[in-house]
Amino acid sequence: MNSPGLDHAIVVWNELSEERKFALARSVARRRVNEWKRTLGGVVSVGVGFRTTGGTSKPTDEICLRFAVARKKKRVSAGRVPRRVVAYVNTRNGRRRCAIPTDVDVIAPGTENTNSGLFRGIIVRKDGASLGEKGAVCAVVEDADSPGARYLLSCNHVLALPGAGCSPTLATDVFRANGPGRKAAQKIADLLFYKLLVPRSGYGLDAALAVVSRRDLISPMVQGKHPTQVAGPGYVPHNYKIYTPRKPLPAEFVGEQFDHSVQFRCGAWVKLKHVIMSRAATLGGDSGSPLIGSDGTLYGMHFYLTGSKPGSNKPKYALAIPAHALFEDGTWPIRIRL
């Protein structure tokens, strides 16, 4: 049974507009994520998104706080996640108490996929070494202060070839695959800037820039789509697809997560400040793929697939770095733009 006070708080929440609900939930998630990670067993990050229907993984249109847990037994004992979180909102009637509904996501390491059908993707090779990582290009960007200087924006773990401890090397060339066999590759760029993925060193950013060395081999079209604008920090992704090297994949926005940690193949756990969660059938080799809306808005860059052990029916989520985090001033030694 709900108490009269909680009943009233639920009514106040339901009276808010969708925009106010999303903004309030996002604000509460940002402020309290570290507190909940300390006090709620099993919680690895907290974000905002849509609740899922009972017994299925299909999102509804109800905005809620989403608690990501490493393992789920029972809602209360495994994560002790409350069904509602009380917060306060300023309205025309003054400061009012409201109750934000919650939901729980199970986040588990994904399994490696050996897909190699990269017809329009890139492959990366260290000098004198065999073929290494494979992946996609999120966007072809320019130096805002030096028009004409073009770069490839992709993932650190694709372009920078991290080894033990996720330490990358700059002795890396970027090649483009010309066919499914990936035998006839052409050099198109040189790795220039990358973000460290060092564990326990604060926030990491799985991103890198490579300077284009063969302009005649580069097109502004990325995976068959040309992004035209970058979504700001207040945008909620909608009507978008993930443009992988294989094909554009339909994607369904699930939510956001703040202070979320993922494990890279080098074995290191790296904390990401802000990620976008989508439901989409991404595979190995899709890292670096852009999330682009139907109007050309670039929402983010896919870098990780959560999942579960083979044979499990637990949901998988495609994680992306928000576009504004990649383009904001101070992220790179240069100012980049589409």
Side-chain angles (χ1 to χ4, degrees):
M1 296 291 290
N2 290 335
S3 67
L6 180 58
D7 286 340
H8 181 69
I10 293 173
V11 171
V12 173
W13 167 260
N14 290 332
E15 289 175 346
L16 299 177
S17 67
E18 298 302 296
E19 292 77 12
R20 292 290 299 279
K21 287 179 180 178
F22 200 90
L24 178 63
R26 176 182 281 186
S27 174
V28 171
R30 286 181 184 273
R31 293 198 317 267
R32 299 188 59 185
V33 58
N34 289 325
E35 169 198 340
W36 285 323
K37 288 169 69 175
R38 289 194 309 269
T39 59
L40 303 179
V43 172
V44 295
S45 66
V46 183
V48 56
F50 301 113
R51 293 190 75 174
T52 55
T53 56
T56 75
S57 58
K58 184 174 179 58
T60 66
D61 58 359
E62 183 180 8
I63 292 172
C64 70
L65 286 166
R66 298 182 69 91
F67 288 77
V69 298
R71 182 180 299 130
K72 181 180 178 182
K73 295 179 182 176
K74 292 182 180 179
R75 184 185 183 94
V76 175
S77 63
R80 301 197 303 279
V81 176
R83 293 192 178 277
R84 294 184 181 272
V85 171
V86 174
Y88 292 88
V89 61
N90 293 321
T91 69
R92 288 175 293 182
N93 298 320
R95 191 166 182 259
R96 304 179 68 188
R97 187 171 180 260
C98 66
I100 307 173
T102 70
D103 206 350
V104 177
D105 291 308
V106 178
I107 303 295
T111 56
E112 185 173 348
N113 190 292
T114 57
N115 171 68
S116 59
L118 300 177
F119 291 89
R120 296 186 302 278
I122 60 170
I123 52 178
V124 178
R125 185 174 71 202
K126 291 183 181 179
D127 290 338
S130 59
L131 297 181
E133 291 285 352
K134 59 184 183 291
V137 173
C138 176
V140 179
V141 298
E142 285 192 339
D143 182 349
D145 297 318
S146 301
R150 304 174 78 181
Y151 304 85
L152 304 179
L153 172 62
S154 187
C155 290
N156 173 301
H157 77 267
V158 170
L159 292 183
L161 284 174
C166 289
S167 299
T169 172
L170 283 174
T172 306
D173 295 333
V174 180
F175 288 77
R176 182 174 69 180
N178 286 345
R182 301 186 302 160
K183 297 183 183 299
Q186 292 175 294
K187 179 179 176 181
I188 56 175
D190 299 282
L191 180 65
L192 191 62
F193 305 122
Y194 58 87
K195 293 297 175 181
L196 291 175
L197 296 176
V198 179
R200 295 179 296 279
S201 63
Y203 293 116
L205 188 66
D206 188 1
L209 287 176
V211 61
V212 173
S213 55
R214 288 286 304 276
R215 292 196 59 174
D216 58 312
L217 298 177
I218 296 295
S219 166
M221 299 291 289
V222 178
Q223 322 302 58
K225 181 78 170 181
H226 186 186
T228 57
Q229 58 187 337
V230 177
Y235 282 74
V236 180
H238 66 284
N239 296 331
Y240 65 100
K241 294 180 180 179
I242 301 180
Y243 286 80
T244 74
R246 297 172 291 115
K247 61 181 179 180
L249 295 178
E252 190 173 34
F253 175 68
V254 174
E256 301 173 303
Q257 296 291 340
F258 304 103
D259 286 358
H260 185 67
S261 295
V262 298
Q263 186 176 27
F264 286 88
R265 259 191 282 179
C266 60
W269 284 89
V270 178
K271 184 165 69 172
L272 287 302
K273 191 171 186 178
H274 183 189
V275 299
I276 296 171
M277 296 175 64
S278 303
R279 187 167 287 107
T282 56
L283 298 172
D286 291 343
S287 294
S289 298
L291 279 60
I292 306 177
S294 57
D295 63 349
T297 299
L298 177 65
Y299 287 111
M301 178 175 71
H302 170 64
F303 74 99
Y304 198 87
L305 176 65
T306 69
S308 53
K309 295 180 180 179
S312 171
N313 59 0
K314 293 180 180 178
K316 293 184 179 181
Y317 297 111
L319 302 186
I321 301 169
H324 66 83
L326 299 168
F327 281 77
E328 66 185 356
D329 289 344
T331 300
W332 305 101
I334 60 174
R335 292 194 303 128
I336 63 169
R337 67 182 182 188
L338 285 176

